[in-house]
Amino acid sequence: MSLQNLLATYQSAELITQLAKYISSGEKRIQIEPLMGSALSFVMSVLFKKIDRPLLLIFENKEKAAYYLNDLEQLTKDKESVLFFPGSYRRPYQIEETDNVNILLRTEVLNRINSRKKPALIITYPDALFEKVMTKAELNRSIFKIQQGDKLSLDFLNEVLFEYQFQKTDFVTEPGEFAVRGGIIDIYSYSHDLPYRIEFFGEEIESIRLFDIETQLTVEKVRQVQIMPNVSDKTTEEKRQPFLDFIGKKTIVFVQDETTTLEKIQKLYEKAEESFRELHSPLKQSEPQLLFTNANSLKKGLDDHIYIKTTFDKEPSLHLNWKTKEQPAFNKHFELLIENLEKNTSEGIQNYLFCDNEKQAKRFHDIFKDMDVDIAYQTLVFPLYRGFIDPKLKIACYTDHQIFNRYHKFRLKQGYQKKQAISLKELTSLQKGDYVTHIDHGIGVFGGLQKIEVEGKMQEAIKLMYGERDILYVSIHSLHKISKYNGKEGTAPKIYKLGSGAWKKIKQKTKRRIKEIAFDLISLYAKRKDQKGYPYHPDSYMQHELEASFMYEDTPDQFQATLDVKSDMESDQPMDRLVCGDVGFGKTEVAMRAAFK
């Protein structure tokens, strides 16, 4: 049975059909016994498709929310509809430390709800619900749309961006910044994880492009964009509302642990009140309830929606008892695992082993083969969060990381953080007089940023100075050709005249020297090939078990290094290999595998 067959089993499950029916009838109070592990992920992914209505899942903390987010993204195969709604501040009650990645994610959710597109499945946690959000009216007022062909003056656009509290910089590197270069304006809006490059012809918008910060190259051409301010900006606190009011009453709300959620919200609110009393700023006079949600407000918001919980104070409209169980703890004992899998089979329960990758799936096969046991199971390459047993549907889904006590990582969208450009950061930190290397023209002296006229338009360029007062202007679109000079400390490099041919000769000489070194190395390795070494045996069951027991999954480089080392050891040639890597990158684990072999 494939993953799709498993999902089909849940789609036809009587309890899910009953749950969807009650939701459609408008019943507000639905109690469902705790769904253990990732059984919750299967149920909610299928329910979301069945009801065709927005669904909000509230988990106890950010980590748990992120794990379920990863499950649901993969089970629904619809990352555009499965959204994460995080808190915008590193410490929720202290409003000066924003996290721009989280603000981008919050804006994405608010935009999606406001646009009234197809329903979204939103995952969140108490810290995020604690912060109030812009009202829909304020959000609509704050959206500034720009379209190709629009008539718009640069001065007016400047004023709008300053009103939105955007910072004017030489280059945009994160949301909330803009840069002007002649008839081009770069804007990093909070509405997208890539910045916009808008090109004017007079007062007409000629083109709009999304571009990459690192390379400064166009990623995609678009006809229309939205400029949005920081939706978590606290200067408009009087125009805010709880998130549960923003999402609308059609949204179905699931709370995994209502008591814990309300307690956390109340503690955050009390901490905020304490911080406001100590705050020495204009916000001192503001009341915390204008910015934050307390437990009573959240409880009222839940009561206004159809919501699913694990417990109710009063009798719920519908009580569903799924009776799922947690995956048993095996603590790397394969005898216990085999015994449990055989017991499941005897009870008519199908066994599924969810593995992070093909390599891990093969380990199970090799271990069972070496132990000479015939187990009825199926491996699925799918990084499931937590294993579970579902006796009603006769399914046992176990995860490899729980069997081997390995760390399981969650992955969150990082947005612009992945795009921080080393070359751009280096450029902004350069001082006039620093040495830089241009791949085509050689070592020059950095002369700063200057505006030059190119085809009738003013553009920003990098000034490089060479021998005999030669000057080279490099477009910011060619940043990838420039790097900071690295040479012998305290020794100034020789600066040549442009076009002298000296740099070309240096590169040719370097290539020639590299070829000489390569020839010497080849001669040395030819001699070593004549030597005979001790060939070790292929991996055994014990080797597989040891490697599976490491807490963290190998990185691709670790995996390749291990394969190479083992290949050397199994060869009759003496091993001559150096494993290199930064501190903490896993060299010891590679060495342990070799030592055990």
Side-chain angles (χ1 to χ4, degrees), residues 298-345:
L298 182 66
K299 185 74 170 70
K300 183 179 180 302
L302 289 172
D303 289 336
D304 286 341
H305 290 79
I306 295 176
Y307 70 114
I308 306 166
K309 299 196 304 185
T310 53
T311 55
F312 275 92
D313 298 332
K314 299 176 183 177
E315 192 63 29
S317 304
L318 174 65
H319 183 190
L320 296 175
N321 192 345
W322 211 285
K323 293 183 178 176
T324 56
K325 302 175 187 175
E326 285 273 16
Q327 173 177 329
F330 301 112
N331 297 317
K332 309 177 192 176
H333 292 158
F334 279 88
E335 293 78 8
L336 289 177
L337 174 63
I338 290 166
E339 186 181 321
N340 182 268
L341 295 176
E342 288 175 338
K343 179 175 177 288
N344 287 344
T345 303

Side-chain angles (χ1 to χ4, degrees), residues 382-553:
F382 184 97
L384 200 67
Y385 168 39
R386 302 285 291 178
F388 63 93
I389 301 171
D390 191 329
K392 282 184 180 290
L393 299 182
K394 297 292 184 182
I395 290 168
C397 297
Y398 296 163
T399 68
D400 63 330
H401 59 88
Q402 285 176 276
I403 292 170
F404 295 118
N405 285 354
R406 299 166 74 90
Y407 177 70
H408 182 59
K409 292 186 292 186
F410 61 78
R411 292 172 178 81
L412 288 175
K413 188 177 178 182
Q414 291 301 306
Y416 82 97
Q417 278 193 345
K418 292 186 291 186
K419 306 294 182 183
Q420 295 289 2
I422 295 171
S423 56
L424 190 56
K425 282 186 172 179
E426 282 183 352
L427 177 65
T428 53
S429 67
L430 285 174
Q431 303 294 320
K432 288 185 179 181
D434 286 349
Y435 296 110
V436 294
T437 305
H438 190 291
I439 194 168
D440 297 326
H441 303 288
I443 302 164
V445 178
F446 180 66
L449 295 169
Q450 292 198 359
K451 287 185 178 179
I452 61 172
E453 188 174 327
V454 179
E455 296 180 354
K457 294 180 181 179
M458 296 302 292
Q459 291 191 15
E460 199 103 37
I462 301 150
K463 181 182 179 182
L464 299 182
M465 297 175 289
Y466 287 85
E468 298 184 25
R469 298 185 179 180
D470 283 352
I471 292 175
L472 175 70
Y473 289 102
V474 182
S475 167
I476 62 159
H477 302 300
S478 300
L479 286 180
H480 58 283
K481 292 191 173 185
I482 299 171
S483 61
K484 192 170 183 178
Y485 169 75
N486 291 305
K488 189 176 179 181
E489 196 172 337
T491 306
K494 187 167 179 58
I495 308 296
Y496 295 98
K497 176 180 169 59
L498 280 174
S500 65
W503 178 246
K504 188 178 179 181
K505 288 177 183 175
I506 289 170
K507 289 205 290 186
Q508 287 173 342
K509 184 180 177 182
T510 305
K511 287 177 182 176
R512 190 165 56 249
R513 182 69 184 123
I514 288 169
K515 286 180 180 178
E516 289 171 3
I517 293 169
F519 178 81
D520 292 342
L521 284 173
I522 289 166
S523 300
L524 178 62
Y525 276 90
K527 291 177 183 176
R528 287 178 178 171
K529 276 286 183 184
D530 290 337
Q531 305 270 332
K532 289 294 177 185
Y534 176 81
Y536 289 85
H537 292 292
D539 287 356
S540 66
Y541 147 69
M542 293 178 71
Q543 183 83 29
H544 291 307
E545 192 168 347
L546 169 86
E547 294 184 7
S549 71
F550 282 110
M551 180 176 282
Y552 297 96
E553 185 61 42

Side-chain angles (χ1 to χ4, degrees), residues 41 167 190 239 272 357 410 515 550:
S41 305
Q167 298 293 315
Y190 285 95
K239 297 169 183 175
N357 50 57
F410 61 78
K515 286 180 180 178
F550 282 110

Side-chain angles (χ1 to χ4, degrees), residues 61-63 65-66 69 73 82-87 102 105-106 108-109 121-125 412:
N61 53 53
K62 183 177 181 178
E63 183 179 279
L69 171 77
E73 282 176 333
V82 180
L83 304 175
F84 190 58
F85 188 71
N102 286 352
L105 293 172
R106 284 174 75 88
E108 181 181 19
V109 172
L121 197 168
I122 303 164
I123 293 100
T124 190
Y125 54 98
L412 288 175

